[in-house]
mmCIF file of all heavy atoms in Angstrom:
data_model
loop_
_atom_site.group_PDB
_atom_site.id
_atom_site.type_symbol
_atom_site.label_atom_id
_atom_site.label_comp_id
_atom_site.label_asym_id
_atom_site.label_seq_id
_atom_site.Cartn_x
_atom_site.Cartn_y
_atom_site.Cartn_z
ATOM 1 N N GLY L 1 -10.960 -8.400 -4.988
ATOM 2 C CA GLY L 1 -11.761 -9.615 -5.031
ATOM 3 C C GLY L 1 -10.941 -10.851 -4.732
ATOM 4 O O GLY L 1 -11.420 -11.784 -4.065
ATOM 5 N N GLU L 2 -9.698 -10.876 -5.206
ATOM 6 C CA GLU L 2 -8.841 -12.034 -4.948
ATOM 7 C C GLU L 2 -8.471 -12.119 -3.470
ATOM 8 O O GLU L 2 -8.432 -13.217 -2.893
ATOM 9 C CB GLU L 2 -7.603 -11.958 -5.838
ATOM 10 C CG GLU L 2 -7.946 -12.196 -7.302
ATOM 11 C CD GLU L 2 -6.846 -11.858 -8.282
ATOM 12 O OE1 GLU L 2 -5.830 -11.266 -7.876
ATOM 13 O OE2 GLU L 2 -7.011 -12.185 -9.473
ATOM 14 N N LEU L 3 -8.197 -10.983 -2.846
ATOM 15 C CA LEU L 3 -7.923 -10.972 -1.410
ATOM 16 C C LEU L 3 -9.133 -11.478 -0.621
ATOM 17 O O LEU L 3 -8.986 -12.222 0.365
ATOM 18 C CB LEU L 3 -7.558 -9.563 -0.958
ATOM 19 C CG LEU L 3 -6.185 -9.047 -1.396
ATOM 20 C CD1 LEU L 3 -6.094 -7.541 -1.194
ATOM 21 C CD2 LEU L 3 -5.073 -9.743 -0.629
ATOM 22 N N GLN L 4 -10.327 -11.086 -1.049
ATOM 23 C CA GLN L 4 -11.539 -11.554 -0.384
ATOM 24 C C GLN L 4 -11.746 -13.049 -0.618
ATOM 25 O O GLN L 4 -12.043 -13.808 0.326
ATOM 26 C CB GLN L 4 -12.736 -10.752 -0.885
ATOM 27 C CG GLN L 4 -12.725 -9.300 -0.449
ATOM 28 C CD GLN L 4 -13.702 -8.431 -1.207
ATOM 29 O OE1 GLN L 4 -14.275 -8.842 -2.218
ATOM 30 N NE2 GLN L 4 -13.896 -7.202 -0.749
ATOM 31 N N ASP L 5 -11.576 -13.485 -1.857
ATOM 32 C CA ASP L 5 -11.783 -14.899 -2.180
ATOM 33 C C ASP L 5 -10.813 -15.791 -1.404
ATOM 34 O O ASP L 5 -11.159 -16.922 -1.029
ATOM 35 C CB ASP L 5 -11.600 -15.136 -3.680
ATOM 36 C CG ASP L 5 -12.686 -14.491 -4.522
ATOM 37 O OD1 ASP L 5 -13.737 -14.126 -3.958
ATOM 38 O OD2 ASP L 5 -12.467 -14.339 -5.745
ATOM 39 N N LEU L 6 -9.598 -15.290 -1.166
ATOM 40 C CA LEU L 6 -8.576 -16.079 -0.477
ATOM 41 C C LEU L 6 -8.635 -15.910 1.042
ATOM 42 O O LEU L 6 -7.835 -16.504 1.769
ATOM 43 C CB LEU L 6 -7.187 -15.701 -0.989
ATOM 44 C CG LEU L 6 -6.912 -16.106 -2.446
ATOM 45 C CD1 LEU L 6 -5.643 -15.434 -2.960
ATOM 46 C CD2 LEU L 6 -6.806 -17.619 -2.579
ATOM 47 N N GLY L 7 -9.562 -15.094 1.521
ATOM 48 C CA GLY L 7 -9.807 -14.980 2.950
ATOM 49 C C GLY L 7 -8.808 -14.156 3.738
ATOM 50 O O GLY L 7 -8.678 -14.333 4.955
ATOM 51 N N ILE L 8 -8.120 -13.196 3.100
ATOM 52 C CA ILE L 8 -7.130 -12.400 3.835
ATOM 53 C C ILE L 8 -7.376 -10.888 3.732
ATOM 54 O O ILE L 8 -6.587 -10.100 4.259
ATOM 55 C CB ILE L 8 -5.688 -12.732 3.377
ATOM 56 C CG1 ILE L 8 -5.488 -12.413 1.892
ATOM 57 C CG2 ILE L 8 -5.355 -14.197 3.678
ATOM 58 C CD1 ILE L 8 -4.023 -12.551 1.437
ATOM 59 N N TYR L 9 -8.439 -10.491 3.095
ATOM 60 C CA TYR L 9 -8.722 -9.069 2.872
ATOM 61 C C TYR L 9 -8.783 -8.283 4.182
ATOM 62 O O TYR L 9 -8.244 -7.173 4.293
ATOM 63 C CB TYR L 9 -10.048 -8.929 2.120
ATOM 64 C CG TYR L 9 -10.483 -7.515 1.831
ATOM 65 C CD1 TYR L 9 -10.081 -6.867 0.672
ATOM 66 C CD2 TYR L 9 -11.322 -6.822 2.713
ATOM 67 C CE1 TYR L 9 -10.496 -5.568 0.391
ATOM 68 C CE2 TYR L 9 -11.731 -5.525 2.444
ATOM 69 C CZ TYR L 9 -11.316 -4.904 1.291
ATOM 70 O OH TYR L 9 -11.718 -3.616 1.022
ATOM 71 N N SER L 10 -9.426 -8.856 5.191
ATOM 72 C CA SER L 10 -9.693 -8.121 6.434
ATOM 73 C C SER L 10 -8.452 -7.865 7.278
ATOM 74 O O SER L 10 -8.497 -7.070 8.224
ATOM 75 C CB SER L 10 -10.726 -8.891 7.269
ATOM 76 O OG SER L 10 -10.216 -10.162 7.648
ATOM 77 N N PHE L 11 -7.331 -8.499 6.976
ATOM 78 C CA PHE L 11 -6.120 -8.307 7.764
ATOM 79 C C PHE L 11 -5.451 -6.949 7.512
ATOM 80 O O PHE L 11 -4.667 -6.483 8.340
ATOM 81 C CB PHE L 11 -5.092 -9.405 7.452
ATOM 82 C CG PHE L 11 -5.436 -10.752 8.034
ATOM 83 C CD1 PHE L 11 -5.788 -11.804 7.203
ATOM 84 C CD2 PHE L 11 -5.416 -10.965 9.409
ATOM 85 C CE1 PHE L 11 -6.099 -13.051 7.734
ATOM 86 C CE2 PHE L 11 -5.724 -12.201 9.947
ATOM 87 C CZ PHE L 11 -6.060 -13.247 9.107
ATOM 88 N N PHE L 12 -5.777 -6.303 6.402
ATOM 89 C CA PHE L 12 -5.002 -5.142 5.976
ATOM 90 C C PHE L 12 -5.685 -3.820 6.333
ATOM 91 O O PHE L 12 -6.885 -3.652 6.128
ATOM 92 C CB PHE L 12 -4.735 -5.226 4.480
ATOM 93 C CG PHE L 12 -3.913 -6.433 4.122
ATOM 94 C CD1 PHE L 12 -4.518 -7.584 3.635
ATOM 95 C CD2 PHE L 12 -2.548 -6.429 4.320
ATOM 96 C CE1 PHE L 12 -3.779 -8.710 3.341
ATOM 97 C CE2 PHE L 12 -1.788 -7.551 4.031
ATOM 98 C CZ PHE L 12 -2.406 -8.700 3.542
ATOM 99 N N LYS L 13 -4.861 -2.889 6.836
ATOM 100 C CA LYS L 13 -5.354 -1.562 7.199
ATOM 101 C C LYS L 13 -5.421 -0.639 5.994
ATOM 102 O O LYS L 13 -6.156 0.357 6.016
ATOM 103 C CB LYS L 13 -4.440 -0.943 8.260
ATOM 104 C CG LYS L 13 -4.376 -1.713 9.563
ATOM 105 C CD LYS L 13 -5.730 -1.779 10.244
ATOM 106 C CE LYS L 13 -5.611 -2.479 11.595
ATOM 107 N NZ LYS L 13 -6.944 -2.602 12.251
ATOM 108 N N GLY L 14 -4.667 -0.953 4.961
ATOM 109 C CA GLY L 14 -4.680 -0.125 3.759
ATOM 110 C C GLY L 14 -4.185 -0.903 2.563
ATOM 111 O O GLY L 14 -3.269 -1.727 2.678
ATOM 112 N N LEU L 15 -4.810 -0.661 1.420
ATOM 113 C CA LEU L 15 -4.452 -1.323 0.167
ATOM 114 C C LEU L 15 -4.072 -0.251 -0.850
ATOM 115 O O LEU L 15 -4.897 0.610 -1.186
ATOM 116 C CB LEU L 15 -5.633 -2.140 -0.371
ATOM 117 C CG LEU L 15 -6.236 -3.196 0.571
ATOM 118 C CD1 LEU L 15 -7.501 -3.785 -0.042
ATOM 119 C CD2 LEU L 15 -5.228 -4.286 0.878
ATOM 120 N N TYR L 16 -2.846 -0.330 -1.361
ATOM 121 C CA TYR L 16 -2.344 0.662 -2.302
ATOM 122 C C TYR L 16 -1.924 -0.043 -3.589
ATOM 123 O O TYR L 16 -1.036 -0.899 -3.575
ATOM 124 C CB TYR L 16 -1.176 1.434 -1.686
ATOM 125 C CG TYR L 16 -1.612 2.328 -0.556
ATOM 126 C CD1 TYR L 16 -1.830 1.807 0.718
ATOM 127 C CD2 TYR L 16 -1.858 3.683 -0.773
ATOM 128 C CE1 TYR L 16 -2.269 2.621 1.757
ATOM 129 C CE2 TYR L 16 -2.294 4.509 0.260
ATOM 130 C CZ TYR L 16 -2.499 3.970 1.525
ATOM 131 O OH TYR L 16 -2.945 4.779 2.547
ATOM 132 N N PHE L 17 -2.602 0.327 -4.684
ATOM 133 C CA PHE L 17 -2.359 -0.295 -5.981
ATOM 134 C C PHE L 17 -1.864 0.750 -6.972
ATOM 135 O O PHE L 17 -2.428 1.853 -7.077
ATOM 136 C CB PHE L 17 -3.628 -0.967 -6.502
ATOM 137 C CG PHE L 17 -4.115 -2.067 -5.597
ATOM 138 C CD1 PHE L 17 -5.188 -1.859 -4.742
ATOM 139 C CD2 PHE L 17 -3.482 -3.302 -5.586
ATOM 140 C CE1 PHE L 17 -5.624 -2.861 -3.895
ATOM 141 C CE2 PHE L 17 -3.914 -4.316 -4.746
ATOM 142 C CZ PHE L 17 -4.986 -4.098 -3.894
ATOM 143 N N SER L 18 -0.836 0.380 -7.698
ATOM 144 C CA SER L 18 -0.164 1.328 -8.590
ATOM 145 C C SER L 18 -1.101 1.947 -9.619
ATOM 146 O O SER L 18 -0.967 3.129 -9.955
ATOM 147 C CB SER L 18 1.006 0.643 -9.297
ATOM 148 O OG SER L 18 0.568 -0.503 -10.017
ATOM 149 N N ALA L 19 -2.041 1.158 -10.130
ATOM 150 C CA ALA L 19 -2.926 1.673 -11.175
ATOM 151 C C ALA L 19 -3.770 2.847 -10.684
ATOM 152 O O ALA L 19 -4.096 3.747 -11.463
ATOM 153 C CB ALA L 19 -3.830 0.558 -11.693
ATOM 154 N N ASP L 20 -4.105 2.861 -9.385
ATOM 155 C CA ASP L 20 -4.906 3.964 -8.837
ATOM 156 C C ASP L 20 -4.174 5.290 -8.921
ATOM 157 O O ASP L 20 -4.786 6.352 -9.043
ATOM 158 C CB ASP L 20 -5.260 3.687 -7.377
ATOM 159 C CG ASP L 20 -6.268 2.571 -7.204
ATOM 160 O OD1 ASP L 20 -6.898 2.167 -8.201
ATOM 161 O OD2 ASP L 20 -6.417 2.090 -6.064
ATOM 162 N N TYR L 21 -2.846 5.233 -8.814
ATOM 163 C CA TYR L 21 -2.032 6.447 -8.752
ATOM 164 C C TYR L 21 -1.197 6.651 -10.015
ATOM 165 O O TYR L 21 -0.471 7.644 -10.121
ATOM 166 C CB TYR L 21 -1.119 6.385 -7.523
ATOM 167 C CG TYR L 21 -1.895 6.127 -6.248
ATOM 168 C CD1 TYR L 21 -1.984 4.842 -5.716
ATOM 169 C CD2 TYR L 21 -2.583 7.144 -5.618
ATOM 170 C CE1 TYR L 21 -2.718 4.586 -4.572
ATOM 171 C CE2 TYR L 21 -3.321 6.908 -4.469
ATOM 172 C CZ TYR L 21 -3.385 5.618 -3.958
ATOM 173 O OH TYR L 21 -4.130 5.369 -2.821
ATOM 174 N N GLU L 22 -1.289 5.715 -10.943
ATOM 175 C CA GLU L 22 -0.554 5.754 -12.215
ATOM 176 C C GLU L 22 0.953 5.839 -11.992
ATOM 177 O O GLU L 22 1.684 6.448 -12.778
ATOM 178 C CB GLU L 22 -1.055 6.929 -13.082
ATOM 179 C CG GLU L 22 -2.527 6.811 -13.427
ATOM 180 C CD GLU L 22 -3.014 7.939 -14.325
ATOM 181 O OE1 GLU L 22 -2.419 9.037 -14.292
ATOM 182 O OE2 GLU L 22 -3.986 7.717 -15.065
ATOM 183 N N ILE L 23 1.413 5.202 -10.925
ATOM 184 C CA ILE L 23 2.831 5.198 -10.576
ATOM 185 C C ILE L 23 3.144 3.876 -9.894
ATOM 186 O O ILE L 23 2.366 3.396 -9.076
ATOM 187 C CB ILE L 23 3.169 6.401 -9.664
ATOM 188 C CG1 ILE L 23 4.650 6.462 -9.354
ATOM 189 C CG2 ILE L 23 2.347 6.389 -8.394
ATOM 190 C CD1 ILE L 23 5.054 7.725 -8.591
ATOM 191 N N SER L 24 4.270 3.278 -10.255
ATOM 192 C CA SER L 24 4.588 1.929 -9.792
ATOM 193 C C SER L 24 5.877 1.901 -8.970
ATOM 194 O O SER L 24 6.717 2.804 -9.068
ATOM 195 C CB SER L 24 4.767 0.991 -10.995
ATOM 196 O OG SER L 24 3.613 0.937 -11.802
ATOM 197 N N LYS L 25 6.027 0.847 -8.161
ATOM 198 C CA LYS L 25 7.338 0.554 -7.583
ATOM 199 C C LYS L 25 8.307 0.282 -8.726
ATOM 200 O O LYS L 25 7.906 -0.291 -9.727
ATOM 201 C CB LYS L 25 7.250 -0.695 -6.691
ATOM 202 C CG LYS L 25 6.335 -0.559 -5.480
ATOM 203 C CD LYS L 25 6.215 -1.884 -4.717
ATOM 204 C CE LYS L 25 5.412 -2.903 -5.496
ATOM 205 N NZ LYS L 25 5.186 -4.169 -4.745
ATOM 206 N N PRO L 26 9.549 0.718 -8.638
ATOM 207 C CA PRO L 26 10.253 1.197 -7.444
ATOM 208 C C PRO L 26 10.237 2.707 -7.228
ATOM 209 O O PRO L 26 11.030 3.203 -6.420
ATOM 210 C CB PRO L 26 11.685 0.746 -7.731
ATOM 211 C CG PRO L 26 11.825 0.935 -9.211
ATOM 212 C CD PRO L 26 10.483 0.512 -9.773
ATOM 213 N N ASP L 27 9.388 3.439 -7.928
ATOM 214 C CA ASP L 27 9.359 4.891 -7.749
ATOM 215 C C ASP L 27 9.116 5.205 -6.272
ATOM 216 O O ASP L 27 8.101 4.775 -5.706
ATOM 217 C CB ASP L 27 8.246 5.493 -8.610
ATOM 218 C CG ASP L 27 8.366 6.999 -8.731
ATOM 219 O OD1 ASP L 27 8.612 7.662 -7.697
ATOM 220 O OD2 ASP L 27 8.201 7.533 -9.841
ATOM 221 N N PRO L 28 10.023 5.929 -5.638
ATOM 222 C CA PRO L 28 9.819 6.252 -4.220
ATOM 223 C C PRO L 28 8.545 7.051 -3.975
ATOM 224 O O PRO L 28 8.010 7.041 -2.865
ATOM 225 C CB PRO L 28 11.071 7.049 -3.840
ATOM 226 C CG PRO L 28 11.650 7.514 -5.136
ATOM 227 C CD PRO L 28 11.294 6.466 -6.145
ATOM 228 N N GLY L 29 8.052 7.720 -5.017
ATOM 229 C CA GLY L 29 6.811 8.467 -4.862
ATOM 230 C C GLY L 29 5.638 7.591 -4.499
ATOM 231 O O GLY L 29 4.733 8.014 -3.765
ATOM 232 N N PHE L 30 5.618 6.355 -4.999
ATOM 233 C CA PHE L 30 4.538 5.426 -4.669
ATOM 234 C C PHE L 30 4.624 5.031 -3.194
ATOM 235 O O PHE L 30 3.613 4.968 -2.485
ATOM 236 C CB PHE L 30 4.614 4.208 -5.584
ATOM 237 C CG PHE L 30 3.442 3.265 -5.485
ATOM 238 C CD1 PHE L 30 2.196 3.701 -5.078
ATOM 239 C CD2 PHE L 30 3.590 1.928 -5.820
ATOM 240 C CE1 PHE L 30 1.117 2.818 -4.998
ATOM 241 C CE2 PHE L 30 2.535 1.039 -5.745
ATOM 242 C CZ PHE L 30 1.293 1.487 -5.327
ATOM 243 N N PHE L 31 5.835 4.782 -2.726
ATOM 244 C CA PHE L 31 6.020 4.463 -1.309
ATOM 245 C C PHE L 31 5.587 5.644 -0.434
ATOM 246 O O PHE L 31 4.945 5.455 0.609
ATOM 247 C CB PHE L 31 7.487 4.131 -1.027
ATOM 248 C CG PHE L 31 7.925 2.772 -1.497
ATOM 249 C CD1 PHE L 31 8.164 2.526 -2.844
ATOM 250 C CD2 PHE L 31 8.108 1.740 -0.605
ATOM 251 C CE1 PHE L 31 8.574 1.276 -3.288
ATOM 252 C CE2 PHE L 31 8.519 0.483 -1.021
ATOM 253 C CZ PHE L 31 8.747 0.254 -2.369
ATOM 254 N N ARG L 32 5.920 6.857 -0.875
ATOM 255 C CA ARG L 32 5.593 8.026 -0.060
ATOM 256 C C ARG L 32 4.099 8.277 0.009
ATOM 257 O O ARG L 32 3.600 8.850 0.983
ATOM 258 C CB ARG L 32 6.324 9.257 -0.616
ATOM 259 C CG ARG L 32 7.846 9.176 -0.447
ATOM 260 C CD ARG L 32 8.520 10.498 -0.769
ATOM 261 N NE ARG L 32 9.977 10.360 -0.756
ATOM 262 C CZ ARG L 32 10.730 10.321 -1.844
ATOM 263 N NH1 ARG L 32 10.164 10.444 -3.049
ATOM 264 N NH2 ARG L 32 12.037 10.171 -1.747
ATOM 265 N N ILE L 33 3.370 7.882 -1.021
ATOM 266 C CA ILE L 33 1.910 8.019 -0.959
ATOM 267 C C ILE L 33 1.377 7.235 0.229
ATOM 268 O O ILE L 33 0.575 7.739 1.024
ATOM 269 C CB ILE L 33 1.268 7.532 -2.276
ATOM 270 C CG1 ILE L 33 1.547 8.520 -3.403
ATOM 271 C CG2 ILE L 33 -0.250 7.344 -2.095
ATOM 272 C CD1 ILE L 33 1.140 8.023 -4.777
ATOM 273 N N LEU L 34 1.812 5.995 0.367
ATOM 274 C CA LEU L 34 1.376 5.172 1.502
ATOM 275 C C LEU L 34 1.849 5.776 2.824
ATOM 276 O O LEU L 34 1.057 5.919 3.770
ATOM 277 C CB LEU L 34 1.907 3.742 1.351
ATOM 278 C CG LEU L 34 1.440 2.692 2.372
ATOM 279 C CD1 LEU L 34 1.562 1.287 1.771
ATOM 280 C CD2 LEU L 34 2.220 2.745 3.678
ATOM 281 N N LEU L 35 3.121 6.131 2.897
ATOM 282 C CA LEU L 35 3.669 6.676 4.140
ATOM 283 C C LEU L 35 2.942 7.946 4.563
ATOM 284 O O LEU L 35 2.581 8.112 5.743
ATOM 285 C CB LEU L 35 5.159 6.958 3.962
ATOM 286 C CG LEU L 35 6.060 5.736 3.755
ATOM 287 C CD1 LEU L 35 7.456 6.182 3.312
ATOM 288 C CD2 LEU L 35 6.145 4.895 5.013
ATOM 289 N N ASP L 36 2.708 8.840 3.614
ATOM 290 C CA ASP L 36 2.060 10.110 3.942
ATOM 291 C C ASP L 36 0.602 9.917 4.334
ATOM 292 O O ASP L 36 0.129 10.510 5.314
ATOM 293 C CB ASP L 36 2.157 11.067 2.750
ATOM 294 C CG ASP L 36 3.575 11.534 2.482
ATOM 295 O OD1 ASP L 36 4.440 11.347 3.358
ATOM 296 O OD2 ASP L 36 3.827 12.077 1.384
ATOM 297 N N ARG L 37 -0.118 9.092 3.600
ATOM 298 C CA ARG L 37 -1.543 8.917 3.882
ATOM 299 C C ARG L 37 -1.792 8.165 5.184
ATOM 300 O O ARG L 37 -2.810 8.376 5.844
ATOM 301 C CB ARG L 37 -2.225 8.200 2.721
ATOM 302 C CG ARG L 37 -2.215 9.023 1.440
ATOM 303 C CD ARG L 37 -3.190 8.523 0.414
ATOM 304 N NE ARG L 37 -3.202 9.421 -0.737
ATOM 305 C CZ ARG L 37 -4.120 9.386 -1.693
ATOM 306 N NH1 ARG L 37 -5.090 8.484 -1.653
ATOM 307 N NH2 ARG L 37 -4.064 10.232 -2.701
ATOM 308 N N GLU L 38 -0.862 7.299 5.548
ATOM 309 C CA GLU L 38 -1.025 6.535 6.785
ATOM 310 C C GLU L 38 -0.281 7.156 7.958
ATOM 311 O O GLU L 38 -0.390 6.683 9.092
ATOM 312 C CB GLU L 38 -0.547 5.096 6.579
ATOM 313 C CG GLU L 38 -1.276 4.345 5.477
ATOM 314 C CD GLU L 38 -2.745 4.097 5.769
ATOM 315 O OE1 GLU L 38 -3.131 4.167 6.967
ATOM 316 O OE2 GLU L 38 -3.513 3.842 4.819
ATOM 317 N N GLY L 39 0.464 8.227 7.711
ATOM 318 C CA GLY L 39 1.211 8.895 8.766
ATOM 319 C C GLY L 39 2.317 8.035 9.352
ATOM 320 O O GLY L 39 2.525 8.017 10.574
ATOM 321 N N LEU L 40 3.061 7.333 8.498
ATOM 322 C CA LEU L 40 4.082 6.395 8.949
ATOM 323 C C LEU L 40 5.487 6.959 8.757
ATOM 324 O O LEU L 40 5.731 7.771 7.873
ATOM 325 C CB LEU L 40 3.963 5.081 8.166
ATOM 326 C CG LEU L 40 2.586 4.399 8.149
ATOM 327 C CD1 LEU L 40 2.658 3.105 7.347
ATOM 328 C CD2 LEU L 40 2.083 4.153 9.556
ATOM 329 N N GLN L 41 6.401 6.460 9.595
ATOM 330 C CA GLN L 41 7.821 6.768 9.473
ATOM 331 C C GLN L 41 8.544 5.532 8.953
ATOM 332 O O GLN L 41 8.280 4.413 9.388
ATOM 333 C CB GLN L 41 8.400 7.181 10.831
ATOM 334 C CG GLN L 41 7.766 8.432 11.426
ATOM 335 C CD GLN L 41 7.993 9.657 10.563
ATOM 336 O OE1 GLN L 41 9.098 9.859 10.049
ATOM 337 N NE2 GLN L 41 6.962 10.482 10.421
ATOM 338 N N CYS L 42 9.495 5.727 8.037
ATOM 339 C CA CYS L 42 10.226 4.592 7.472
ATOM 340 C C CYS L 42 10.897 3.747 8.547
ATOM 341 O O CYS L 42 10.991 2.520 8.420
ATOM 342 C CB CYS L 42 11.278 5.086 6.480
ATOM 343 S SG CYS L 42 10.607 5.607 4.894
ATOM 344 N N SER L 43 11.365 4.388 9.599
ATOM 345 C CA SER L 43 12.076 3.671 10.655
ATOM 346 C C SER L 43 11.195 2.658 11.376
ATOM 347 O O SER L 43 11.706 1.748 12.040
ATOM 348 C CB SER L 43 12.650 4.661 11.668
ATOM 349 O OG SER L 43 11.612 5.444 12.244
ATOM 350 N N ASP L 44 9.881 2.803 11.240
ATOM 351 C CA ASP L 44 8.939 1.910 11.920
ATOM 352 C C ASP L 44 8.259 0.960 10.940
ATOM 353 O O ASP L 44 7.257 0.342 11.270
ATOM 354 C CB ASP L 44 7.884 2.747 12.658
ATOM 355 C CG ASP L 44 7.218 1.971 13.792
ATOM 356 O OD1 ASP L 44 7.831 1.007 14.288
ATOM 357 O OD2 ASP L 44 6.085 2.325 14.159
ATOM 358 N N CYS L 45 8.814 0.861 9.717
ATOM 359 C CA CYS L 45 8.206 0.054 8.658
ATOM 360 C C CYS L 45 9.222 -0.917 8.062
ATOM 361 O O CYS L 45 10.421 -0.664 8.072
ATOM 362 C CB CYS L 45 7.679 0.933 7.521
ATOM 363 S SG CYS L 45 6.415 2.128 7.989
ATOM 364 N N ILE L 46 8.710 -2.003 7.508
ATOM 365 C CA ILE L 46 9.525 -2.901 6.701
ATOM 366 C C ILE L 46 8.725 -3.286 5.471
ATOM 367 O O ILE L 46 7.516 -3.517 5.549
ATOM 368 C CB ILE L 46 9.973 -4.155 7.479
ATOM 369 C CG1 ILE L 46 10.941 -4.998 6.633
ATOM 370 C CG2 ILE L 46 8.778 -4.975 7.968
ATOM 371 C CD1 ILE L 46 11.611 -6.112 7.405
ATOM 372 N N MET L 47 9.403 -3.312 4.326
ATOM 373 C CA MET L 47 8.801 -3.743 3.063
ATOM 374 C C MET L 47 9.165 -5.193 2.831
ATOM 375 O O MET L 47 10.349 -5.565 2.892
ATOM 376 C CB MET L 47 9.316 -2.882 1.910
ATOM 377 C CG MET L 47 8.818 -3.301 0.524
ATOM 378 S SD MET L 47 7.088 -2.845 0.270
ATOM 379 C CE MET L 47 6.562 -4.122 -0.891
#
């Protein structure tokens, strides 16, 4: 809702929130959830 209210929601291809997966940064498992689901390689990404 905050992303929508601030007018930037539509820019994002995927939204990953720790509470959905019960795991938070810096656990690499949280990063891998995004990488695996989006089919991304670390070499082509920046955090």
Side-chain angles (χ1 to χ4, degrees):
E2 290 168 351
L3 288 166
Q4 292 166 349
D5 292 344
L6 292 168
I8 61 172
Y9 179 89
S10 63
F11 286 111
F12 298 99
K13 298 298 184 182
L15 304 173
Y16 291 80
F17 299 102
S18 57
D20 289 346
Y21 306 98
E22 299 182 334
I23 183 173
S24 301
K25 297 175 289 184
D27 194 315
F30 188 26
F31 284 76
R32 292 190 187 105
I33 288 171
L34 186 156
L35 294 169
D36 292 346
R37 295 196 175 193
E38 301 294 340
L40 307 181
Q41 299 297 318
C42 284
S43 59
D44 202 23
C45 300
I46 186 170
M47 176 74 209

